[in-house]
């Protein structure tokens, strides 16, 4: 049963990724990305991390995809790029190198001896356990993260500030 | 029970799709989406190994990756909007003022 859910969800995730790659319309790409994020959230649930499932849906599927859609529509960038590509030779090369990378990754993943994961105790991955770890061992990184978010926010405001004309 | 290596294989495939997206597409927004896809693939591998080792540190790491990714998307899209204001394009081939 678990394997069936895993297989179906993985196929949906991969299809979402591939369709995002080949869609000519950027809005469609963003929506396929949403499908992919949702499928990965379900995989998190299968891997006993309900907290990350919620965070994935709220931050990725909620905030980030909406931000992408907003910018695509703001810039009117949904149309496909022109076909007269300045670096036309790059596409087949990218395809070959990408497939080599995939082959290497598959080789490495198969090489390592895999054992079925042992059953976890009931509260593994519960938000309480994760929070305990976050606010004890990882307290400093959490604080650094808050600074990163603040810097990002200030940076976005500064980048898009409309400068007043001098003398106006 | 699903073996961990299956999750790692899915993660590898998703990462490759992201790499291809960055290399093959010319629309800067789609390239950005592909970067997000790569981050997600790495996150999936993190969570899979956290499950295998029964160590929560992997999940904590994913939490940090998600935060940094959110900040990165905000700054990156702001940069795109700023470029679009002066260049009127999101095609990365058109942004070649610094080219010698």
């Amino acid at each position: 049963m678990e394997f069936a859910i895993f297989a179906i969800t993985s196929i949906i995730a991969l299809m979402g990724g591939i369709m995002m790659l080949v869609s000519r319309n950027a809005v469609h790409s963003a929506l396929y990305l949403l499908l992919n994020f949702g499928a990965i959230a379900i995989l998190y649930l299968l891997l006993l991390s309900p907290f990350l499932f919620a965070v994935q849906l709220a931050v990725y599927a909620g905030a980030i995809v909406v931000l992408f859609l907003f910018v695509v529509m703001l810039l009117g960038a949904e149309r496909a790029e022109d076909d007269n590509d300045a670096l036309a030779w790059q596409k087949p090369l990218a395809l070959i190198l990408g497939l080599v990378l995939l082959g290497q990754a598959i080789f490495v993943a198969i090489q390592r001896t895999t054992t079925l994961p042992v059953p976890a105790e009931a509260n593994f991955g519960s938000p309480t356990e994760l929070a305990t770890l976050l606010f004890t061992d990882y307290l400093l990184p959490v604080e650094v993260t808050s600074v990163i978010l603040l810097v990002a926010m200030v940076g976005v405001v500064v980048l898009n500030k409309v400068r007043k004309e001098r003398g106006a | 029970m699903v073996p961990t290596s299956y999750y790692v294989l899915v993660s590898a495939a998703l990462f490759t799709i992201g790499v291809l997206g960055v290399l093959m597409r010319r629309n800067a927004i789609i390239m950005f989406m592909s970067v997000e896809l790569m981050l997600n693939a790495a996150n999936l591998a993190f969570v899979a190994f956290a499950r295998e080792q029964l160590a929560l540190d992997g999940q904590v790491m994913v939490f940090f990756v998600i935060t940094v990714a959110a900040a990165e998307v905000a700054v990156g899209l702001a940069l795109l909007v700023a470029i679009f204001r002066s260049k009127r394009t999101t095609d990365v081939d058109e942004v070649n003022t610094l080219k010698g």
Side-chain angles (χ1 to χ4, degrees):
Chain A
M1 183 60 193
E2 190 187 332
F3 190 83
I5 297 175
F6 165 79
I8 295 168
T9 318
S10 306
I11 290 169
I12 292 175
L14 290 173
M15 285 307 291
I18 292 170
M19 290 307 288
M20 183 216 75
L21 180 60
V22 299
S23 286
R24 307 305 293 169
N25 188 325
V27 175
H28 295 173
S29 288
L31 292 176
Y32 279 119
L33 193 66
L34 178 63
L35 180 70
N36 179 276
F37 287 165
I40 290 181
I42 293 174
L43 289 182
Y44 286 170
L45 211 51
L46 281 181
L47 287 165
L48 304 181
S49 46
F51 179 69
L52 287 177
F53 165 77
V55 169
Q56 171 88 2
L57 284 185
V59 176
Y60 267 116
I64 291 184
V65 170
V66 168
L67 202 58
F68 270 121
L69 281 174
F70 177 73
V71 171
V72 168
M73 290 178 179
L74 177 75
L75 302 186
E78 51 270 79
R79 67 197 183 288
E81 52 258 44
D82 303 331
D83 280 331
N84 49 358
D85 199 334
L87 295 169
W89 51 269
Q90 205 183 346
K91 265 184 192 176
L93 185 65
L95 207 56
I96 294 168
L97 290 180
L99 290 179
V100 169
L101 183 69
L102 180 65
Q104 280 182 326
I106 289 174
F107 180 72
V108 172
I110 289 175
Q111 280 284 302
R112 61 186 294 277
T113 51
T114 183
T115 48
L116 286 172
V118 286
E121 64 253 57
N123 62 348
F124 175 78
S126 70
T128 322
E129 294 246 303
L130 206 59
T132 312
L133 203 56
L134 267 179
F135 289 109
T136 53
D137 291 359
Y138 290 93
L139 185 59
L140 182 65
V142 169
E143 299 293 338
V144 172
T145 303
S146 68
V147 178
I148 290 177
L149 288 176
L150 179 67
V151 170
M153 197 172 72
V154 174
V156 168
V157 171
V158 169
L159 272 174
N160 280 323
K161 199 175 65 168
V162 179
R163 289 195 188 80
K164 277 187 192 144
E165 293 296 321
R166 221 170 287 167
Chain B
M1 291 302 231
V2 184
T4 309
S5 47
Y6 289 15
Y7 284 101
V8 179
L9 287 177
V10 172
S11 162
L14 285 174
F15 192 90
T16 311
I17 294 172
V19 169
L20 289 177
V22 170
L23 289 177
M24 290 169 73
R25 296 303 296 264
R26 286 287 168 273
N27 189 333
I29 296 175
I30 308 246
M31 292 170 81
F32 242 115
M33 291 180 196
S34 305
V35 172
E36 292 308 309
L37 197 61
M38 283 194 271
L39 285 171
N40 256 288
N43 283 348
L44 184 60
F46 259 129
V47 179
F49 285 121
R51 170 72 185 88
E52 188 194 54
Q53 310 285 334
L54 289 183
L56 269 180
D57 304 67
Q59 296 192 12
V60 173
M61 214 60 74
V62 170
F63 182 71
F64 289 131
V65 171
I66 289 178
T67 343
V68 174
E72 173 243 334
V73 166
V75 175
L77 289 178
L79 278 173
L80 277 185
V81 172
I83 291 174
F84 188 82
R85 267 219 220 109
S86 61
K87 288 265 178 193
R88 294 278 136 204
T89 182
T90 54
D91 193 324
V92 286
D93 277 347
E94 310 276 323
V95 188
N96 55 2
T97 315
L98 279 177
K99 191 176 172 187

